[in-house]
Amino acid sequence: MAKIKPSKGSPYARILGVGGYRPVRVVPNEVILETIDSSDEWIRSRSGIETRHWANDEETVAAMSVEASGKAIADAGITAEQIGAVVVSTVSHFKQTPAVATEIADKLGTNKAAAFDISAGCAGFGYGLTLAKGMVVEGSAEYVLVIGVERLSDLTDLEDRATAFLFGDGAGAVVVGPSKEPAIGPTVWGSEGDKSETIRQTVPWTDYRDGEVAKFPAITQEGQAVFRWAVFEMAKVAKEALDAAGITADELDVFIPHQANERIIDSMVKTLKLPESVMVARDVRTTGNTSAASIPLAMERLLATGEAKSGDTALVIGFGAGLVYAATVVTLP
């Protein structure tokens, strides 16, 4: 019986570079208030959101991804030809096939990199990061590009008072490559499909196609149920990720949770008992909820502003539709 030759990968993997792209158009709460009965004060107090970015016709899912990825590749100090795989997390690419990752890989100039999309909602970046780590360590790719990208403005019901103000557009990307020491901890992830109706698409595409509904499908959610789940259950997952990495809250430098809602972020910080020395990402204020893009976008901004620095230890956690979640501890690039 023939024996399969073992893979030759890196002993560990790390994030080597990060990049982000935010659409040109900045949308203040006043624009949202044109279609819902609310107030700027109510939106800010409930979510912390002041503005968000909405993409124009040229700022497609692929175009935003290419911009963010180019920055991440340059930040990593490699070339596009060295990218062995492209993993894209998105729920707002409206072609069932082919995967938008293949278009991105081609436009970046990769050398026929493996390319595929995943659908894991707001936890998508964590899922992609975990897959990338596995590829680097296993040896199927030396460098992996992980992209979180959304055009949620296309899936927003501007008349839905519960969600109209939440969503924004953008793309965030990281390059994952070899490391001589651990720099991406074990992932704590999972799903709770029994709660899938709490964040969902209003109707299937086929209902709209067949004329059973007149309104284009949108994302909706049960706000209070999502809030309770995120605050109580996701804090436990975050703690499990710290334990799995052998890190205590006191040893943490940065906390980058999914930018869903600032009240959720504040509650998680309190539940985790994070010391004041920990820098907490609050990109949601000016970017809104960009689902899979929110963690890499927040990471990129913290590093660009100097609020976080290379080598810092960061806890990242994403959670959302599914319900799905993923948390891990990483060393910032």
Side-chain angles (χ1 to χ4, degrees):
M1 183 181 293
K3 291 185 178 180
I4 296 174
K5 185 179 179 179
S7 300
K8 291 184 178 180
S10 170
Y12 306 107
R14 69 182 303 118
I15 299 174
L16 299 172
V18 60
Y21 180 82
R22 293 172 174 80
V24 174
R25 185 187 177 193
V26 177
V27 180
N29 288 337
E30 285 72 22
V31 172
I32 307 299
L33 296 175
E34 294 173 4
T35 53
I36 61 171
D37 180 18
S38 189
S39 68
D40 177 63
E41 191 279 330
W42 187 90
I43 293 174
R44 292 184 188 226
S45 65
R46 293 295 178 124
S47 68
I49 299 173
E50 302 167 9
T51 61
R52 74 283 293 148
H53 294 255
W54 282 356
N56 59 34
D57 291 343
E58 287 72 41
E59 292 168 320
T60 63
V61 165
M64 291 190 294
S65 296
V66 168
E67 289 292 328
S69 299
K71 295 175 184 177
I73 291 169
D75 192 43
I78 65 169
T79 64
E81 290 85 354
Q82 292 175 271
I83 297 293
V86 178
V87 182
V88 178
S89 178
T90 185
V91 298
S92 48
H93 174 56
F94 288 158
K95 287 184 179 179
Q96 194 71 37
T97 191
V100 72
T102 59
E103 178 183 349
I104 295 165
D106 178 63
K107 288 185 174 180
L108 286 170
T110 66
N111 184 22
K112 298 181 181 179
F116 59 95
D117 297 351
I118 59 174
S119 177
C122 305
F125 176 74
Y127 275 50
L129 187 64
T130 303
L131 293 173
K133 174 188 174 183
M135 283 185 250
V136 172
V137 172
E138 185 270 339
S140 58
E142 184 175 14
Y143 299 101
V144 180
L145 180 64
V146 180
I147 304 165
V149 57
E150 301 293 2
R151 273 185 53 127
L152 294 181
S153 57
D154 292 332
L155 287 168
T156 299
D157 180 354
L158 294 177
E159 296 179 347
D160 182 353
R161 190 172 183 271
T163 61
F165 59 90
L166 286 176
F167 302 120
D169 304 337
V174 299
V175 172
V176 177
S179 175
K180 294 180 180 180
E181 58 186 27
I184 301 176
T187 300
V188 177
W189 57 353
S191 65
E192 297 184 34
D194 60 316
K195 300 180 180 66
S196 61
E197 288 297 300
T198 56
I199 306 174
R200 65 191 187 279
Q201 185 171 305
T202 49
V203 295
W205 300 114
T206 47
D207 285 5
Y208 182 75
R209 179 199 65 189
D210 297 341
E212 295 181 24
V213 293
K215 188 176 256 187
F216 192 74
I219 297 174
T220 189
Q221 68 176 30
E222 298 172 14
Q224 287 302 314
V226 172
F227 183 87
R228 288 192 297 270
W229 176 75
V231 169
F232 297 109
E233 299 304 320
M234 291 306 97
K236 297 176 186 176
V237 171
K239 179 62 167 61
E240 287 179 35
L242 287 174
D243 292 342
I247 300 291
T248 66
D250 291 337
E251 295 174 302
L252 203 60
D253 299 307
V254 185
F255 180 42
I256 311 177
H258 165 48
Q259 302 294 291
N261 179 307
E262 192 167 34
R263 288 175 64 205
I264 291 175
I265 294 171
D266 288 341
S267 295
M268 290 183 73
V269 169
K270 184 177 180 180
T271 302
L272 289 169
K273 298 179 180 178
L274 297 183
E276 292 185 7
S277 59
V278 174
M279 172 55 62
V280 180
R282 299 183 185 278
D283 195 43
V284 66
R285 293 173 179 171
T286 56
T287 306
N289 180 344
T290 55
S291 188
S294 80
I295 289 175
L297 277 174
M299 182 184 297
E300 185 262 353
R301 175 162 282 174
L302 287 175
L303 289 166
T305 60
E307 294 173 282
K309 63 184 184 299
S310 175
D312 278 352
T313 300
L315 168 64
V316 299
I317 178 170
F319 45 86
L323 295 170
V324 295
Y325 55 87
T328 187
V329 175
V330 304
T331 300
L332 295 183

